[in-house]
Amino acid sequence: MNKKRNGYQEFMDFVDGLCQKLLIAMMIMDLACVLIQVVCRWIPSIKTPSWTEEIARWLLVWLTFLGASHIAKTSSYTRVDFFVEKMSPKVKRAVGIFSKICMLVFSGFFSYKALIVFTTVSVHEKGPSTQLPMLLMRSAVFVGMIITFLQMISAGGIFLEDPEEEESSV
């Protein structure tokens, strides 16, 4: 499909590409941390490093919220569309628009609340094992939800195009 893309949508494609690369790297690091934990627990003579559990947890939080932005970009969030598939195209389109608006409002609200939490966290608070600033972990929610919000705006622009225009360009 040849959809007209504006500069903002192209930029958000670039951001999504960066997020995908980050997600892959984080997933590999998370797997390595968990693998180290498992191997160390199976070999009695090796003490399990405490930092692996904390890093794995932090990576999982980042994976969740950065992954949400990719899901928003591709509109591949979980949904039950049994009834929607049985509706007329106009109603189906209205339900889709309503769904995107709800996701946009949710991600905007969540971004705002995450910003409040992010700004009230003590800069001196550290992780127990790694001694990394907790601000690093708590920023995952804010960063992920902001990118999700921006991706929803970008995806909404594509979705709200005239479907007849899309069919004629195919």
Side-chain angles (χ1 to χ4, degrees):
M1 283 192 279
N2 285 336
K3 293 183 181 179
K4 293 180 183 176
R5 315 251 325 136
N6 61 34
Y8 176 70
Q9 290 167 329
E10 293 294 330
F11 174 72
M12 291 314 294
D13 288 345
F14 173 74
V15 170
D16 185 54
L18 285 178
C19 283
Q20 285 181 36
K21 288 176 178 67
L22 266 172
L23 287 166
I24 290 168
M26 284 186 209
M27 205 172 285
I28 290 168
M29 290 188 304
D30 198 31
L31 177 68
C33 286
V34 172
L35 189 62
I36 290 169
Q37 287 180 10
V38 169
V39 167
C40 289
R41 287 180 186 154
W42 277 80
I43 302 172
S45 61
I46 299 177
K47 184 176 181 263
T48 306
S50 59
W51 60 267
T52 56
E53 184 178 342
E54 188 173 327
I55 295 291
R57 188 178 326 116
W58 286 27
L59 287 169
L60 189 58
V61 171
W62 273 96
L63 282 165
T64 300
F65 289 100
L66 279 183
S69 72
H70 178 68
I71 288 168
K73 167 104 177 103
T74 59
S75 295
S76 57
Y77 33 82
T78 303
R79 59 182 168 248
V80 179
D81 59 0
F82 177 77
F83 293 111
V84 175
E85 291 300 319
K86 298 193 180 302
M87 297 175 182
S88 71
K90 284 186 178 183
V91 174
K92 199 184 294 188
R93 182 171 166 82
V95 168
I97 290 170
F98 178 72
S99 171
K100 290 214 180 246
I101 290 171
C102 286
M103 290 294 294
L104 184 67
V105 168
F106 172 78
S107 61
F109 177 75
F110 211 146
S111 298
Y112 172 71
K113 289 297 186 180
L115 178 63
I116 291 171
V117 170
F118 180 70
T119 56
T120 59
V121 172
S122 170
V123 179
H124 305 292
E125 190 179 353
K126 306 264 187 214
S129 298
T130 60
Q131 293 301 305
L132 291 171
M134 289 299 286
L135 206 58
L136 190 64
M137 185 177 80
R138 295 206 174 114
S139 64
V141 179
F142 176 67
V143 170
M145 284 291 104
I146 285 290
I147 297 172
T148 300
F149 180 76
L150 297 173
Q151 289 292 12
M152 289 303 300
I153 291 171
S154 175
I158 296 168
F159 187 78
L160 297 175
E161 287 178 356
D162 187 18
E164 292 166 8
E165 194 177 292
E166 281 182 26
E167 290 172 10
S168 64
S169 66
V170 176

